[in-house]
Amino acid sequence: MDEIVLGVDLGTSSVKVIAVNRQGNVLDVTNSSLSLIQEHNGYSEQDPEEWFQSTKDAISSLLASSKMKDTVVKGMSFSGQMHGLVMIDQQSNVLRNAILWNDTRNSEQCKQIINKLGNRVNGNPVLEGFTLPKMLWVQQHEPDIWKQVDRFMLPKDYLRYRLTGQIHMEYSDAAGTLLLDPKTNQWNKDIGDKFEIGDIYPPLINSHESVGYLLPSIASELGLNEDVAVFAGGADNACGALGAGIIHDRETLCSIGTSGVILNVEHQSVTEYGNNLHFFNHAIPNTYYAMGVTLAAGHSLNWLKDTFFENESFDNLIKLASQSRIGANGLLFTPYIAGERTPHGDALIRGSFIGISDQHQHSDFVRATIEGITYSLYESIQLIRQEGKDINTVVSIGGGSKSDFWLQLQADVFNASVKKLKHEEGPSMGAAILAAYGLGWYNSIEECVEQFIQTDTTFEPNIDRHHQYQYYFNIYKDIYKQTKEITAMLIR
């Protein structure tokens, strides 16, 4: 029998499960879609019960595949969307829908935190996406619910609890709550006390540590043995980095999913960044990363397709973009359609096409969108470089890694070598690595990564094209301050 581990990635739009054997070969992949609840402008919620049911559906579908014949599942671990707030009462009932990372209703609560504690808390900027402001919103707007809270959890930690009956939170996700002290790696309860949070903190655990086994009823339902070991897992960005082999100092990840991320690894435990750069624990002990976030990266391209190119495939959109030229014939796009995180931290800013003329074609609008997404990510690279960090090589994953055209565009804009992986499964692979290491299949995470992760192609930057992009990037950076007040007035 081929021994395998499952990597479960709880995303925003779907649950993805992969099966990986001891040699790092991906045997099969399944996805189960998730729905989004958006009752008001700026609200973004999901039903945690749907996470649980969709995960069971995805695992069942995977195990039923003919590719899984003669395999035995030995362990599983998790990756998950960050920051989302799940609250349970003393009977472990979920008290309300989860408030997600991209929910922006809590701007007033962010101001309250800043007034008491300053612009950065526990090494991170105070932004709507983080968990503490979500807690304060519930506390102030839904006091009857808040009074019943016994524990809070983040999405994948709740999912793991439903499968195992064990409540924990691991450090890479806890770092995104604004409540983890990076100096001690313990809950900063002094901050919680300032806002009357109460003792609702889950126990902390390392990403590779075992939390036990599947509940017998769950194992039976899924057709698994009761000795399937379950490991804590990590935040999606930490697992995405791990699943791309980004584990050493000065290794950099570009991930383009719904949001976009630039992530740079380091081993200093506390670094005070500015410009809304984040600083989080990696999924590996004593390892950290600086991160910049574009809120609507792939989301901007999806929006463009759904709104203006409904009948076109993404491959055709990329072909269209390649028919335009650098600078999209003088057309710029800012991907602020859901606000922006880095560097602006502005929930009210909105996107723009700047420079539209009657000469612009479909191809220019697609290229301008792709370039605008890449410029936003480049802003994060520039800010990290300004802190003295070298970024010469970037591993690209997600939607931006599916196209050689976009990979070369990244290399030219970033002025860095961009690597494409041979087999790219994103955060689910990071979760699988944590399970493989947790089972003792390898002596170290480094050994596991060396076996599991391989580079396919490297795209080298063209300095002449970089200078052309730099010209348009400098104009792009001016758009925010020129449109900030205008777009804010349009939101009612």
Side-chain angles (χ1 to χ4, degrees):
M1 299 288 281
D2 197 5
E3 294 185 342
I4 64 170
V5 293
L6 303 183
V8 180
D9 177 35
L10 173 59
T12 309
S13 59
S14 68
V15 179
K16 176 180 178 180
V17 182
I18 65 170
V20 186
N21 67 11
R22 277 179 176 260
Q23 291 71 45
N25 299 315
V26 178
L27 303 186
D28 207 354
V29 181
T30 57
N31 289 273
S32 183
S33 61
L34 297 169
S35 55
L36 203 58
I37 302 167
Q38 295 177 299
E39 294 180 350
H40 305 285
N41 185 39
Y43 283 35
S44 184
E45 301 181 353
Q46 283 179 327
D47 179 1
E49 184 65 23
E50 187 181 7
W51 300 337
F52 177 55
Q53 297 298 334
S54 291
T55 299
K56 290 192 297 179
D57 290 345
I59 292 174
S60 295
S61 175
L62 183 80
L63 296 176
S65 165
S66 60
K67 297 176 183 178
M68 300 294 289
K69 187 179 180 181
D70 297 325
T71 64
V72 57
V73 178
K74 301 300 292 184
M76 69 171 63
S77 189
F78 303 84
S79 161
Q81 49 169 295
M82 297 179 70
H83 312 305
L85 176 62
V86 183
M87 297 170 292
I88 61 173
D89 64 16
Q90 288 186 336
Q91 288 73 45
S92 299
N93 299 310
V94 173
L95 291 166
R96 70 176 323 281
N97 288 332
I99 304 177
L100 302 191
W101 60 275
N102 55 354
D103 188 290
T104 59
R105 76 184 74 177
N106 53 34
S107 296
E108 178 57 37
Q109 287 68 40
C110 288
K111 293 176 185 176
Q112 295 168 14
I113 297 170
I114 290 169
N115 288 339
K116 279 192 177 184
L117 303 175
N119 289 320
R120 295 185 76 86
V121 174
N122 287 321
N124 279 293
V126 179
L127 299 170
E128 286 83 357
F130 291 100
T131 316
L132 177 59
K134 302 181 196 306
M135 291 179 173
L136 299 188
W137 187 91
V138 175
Q139 185 187 71
Q140 294 165 23
H141 290 267
E142 298 175 344
D144 290 342
I145 288 176
W146 182 255
K147 289 175 186 175
Q148 302 174 64
V149 177
D150 183 64
R151 285 285 183 272
F152 85 93
M153 283 180 271
L154 299 183
K156 65 104 175 50
D157 299 310
Y158 174 77
L159 173 61
R160 190 183 58 243
Y161 159 66
R162 288 296 302 275
L163 294 170
T164 65
Q166 301 297 317
I167 295 177
H168 295 91
M169 190 181 295
E170 51 71 45
Y171 294 105
S172 68
D173 241 351
T177 63
L178 293 182
L179 290 165
L180 184 75
D181 187 336
K183 296 177 182 177
T184 64
N185 264 352
Q186 299 297 321
W187 291 118
N188 193 329
K189 294 185 179 180
D190 288 343
I191 286 178
D193 291 345
K194 284 182 170 62
F195 297 99
E196 300 180 356
I197 294 300
D199 190 15
I200 62 173
Y201 306 91
L204 291 164
I205 191 171
N206 285 309
S207 295
H208 66 275
E209 289 188 75
S210 172
V211 301
Y213 301 91
L214 291 175
L215 290 168
S217 60
I218 299 295
S220 175
E221 182 181 351
L222 296 176
L224 292 170
N225 296 328
E226 292 184 13
D227 64 349
V228 175
V230 180
F231 301 90
D236 56 1
N237 289 309
C239 283
L242 178 58
I246 306 296
I247 59 175
H248 297 116
D249 276 356
R250 294 182 292 180
E251 292 182 336
T252 306
L253 176 76
C254 173
S255 174
I256 301 177
T258 302
S259 61
V261 164
I262 295 293
L263 181 157
N264 191 65
V265 175
E266 58 186 78
H267 282 81
Q268 288 178 278
S269 62
V270 183
T271 301
E272 287 294 333
Y273 285 98
N275 296 295
N276 289 318
L277 289 170
H278 309 348
F279 190 77
F280 294 145
N281 297 55
H282 206 329
I284 308 162
N286 304 313
T287 309
Y288 307 84
Y289 59 86
M291 184 176 78
V293 178
T294 297
L295 280 183
H299 179 48
S300 290
L301 192 59
N302 287 336
W303 164 80
L304 186 80
K305 178 186 182 303
D306 292 344
T307 307
F308 300 107
F309 298 94
E310 186 177 3
N311 297 319
E312 294 286 351
S313 67
F314 281 107
D315 286 345
N316 284 341
L317 285 189
I318 298 298
K319 288 178 183 177
L320 269 176
S322 68
Q323 294 167 13
S324 181
R325 61 182 183 178
I326 291 174
N329 290 307
L331 182 64
L332 285 170
F333 170 74
T334 58
Y336 305 151
I337 61 174
E340 189 54 302
R341 181 81 69 85
T342 307
H344 306 300
D346 188 341
L348 298 180
I349 188 65
R350 290 296 177 262
S352 306
F353 280 105
I354 300 292
I356 300 171
S357 79
D358 58 4
Q359 299 301 304
H360 286 120
Q361 306 294 315
H362 284 171
S363 58
D364 300 316
F365 283 92
V366 181
R367 181 160 191 146
T369 301
I370 291 172
E371 288 181 350
I373 295 165
T374 311
Y375 291 149
S376 178
L377 295 164
Y378 181 44
E379 256 187 306
S380 290
I381 286 179
Q382 290 291 72
L383 292 170
I384 295 171
R385 282 172 172 163
Q386 288 170 20
E387 297 290 337
K389 313 296 181 182
D390 293 329
I391 296 181
N392 300 314
T393 302
V394 176
V395 175
S396 185
I397 67 172
S401 68
K402 308 303 182 190
S403 152
D404 287 359
F405 168 78
W406 199 346
L407 287 164
Q408 185 61 57
L409 193 150
Q410 289 173 49
D412 293 338
V413 171
F414 300 161
N415 195 25
S417 300
V418 171
K419 292 182 180 293
K420 176 183 180 180
L421 298 177
K422 188 168 290 187
H423 305 288
E424 193 264 291
E425 296 295 344
S428 56
M429 178 59 83
I433 288 172
L434 289 169
Y437 173 60
L439 284 167
W441 286 359
Y442 293 86
N443 293 322
S444 67
I445 286 181
E446 288 80 3
E447 282 186 21
C448 192
V449 165
E450 188 175 341
Q451 176 66 38
F452 280 37
I453 310 301
Q454 297 176 345
T455 299
D456 181 19
T457 310
T458 300
F459 296 81
E460 299 295 346
N462 178 291
I463 194 63
D464 290 335
R465 291 197 293 265
H466 172 69
H467 289 318
Q468 293 179 64
Y469 282 120
Q470 188 69 42
Y471 171 80
Y472 291 106
F473 173 69
N474 290 335
I475 301 171
Y476 166 91
K477 288 193 295 182
D478 284 338
I479 296 174
Y480 173 78
K481 58 189 177 186
Q482 300 289 346
T483 61
K484 174 179 169 62
E485 292 185 7
I486 296 171
T487 57
M489 288 189 291
L490 293 172
I491 299 174
R492 291 178 177 270

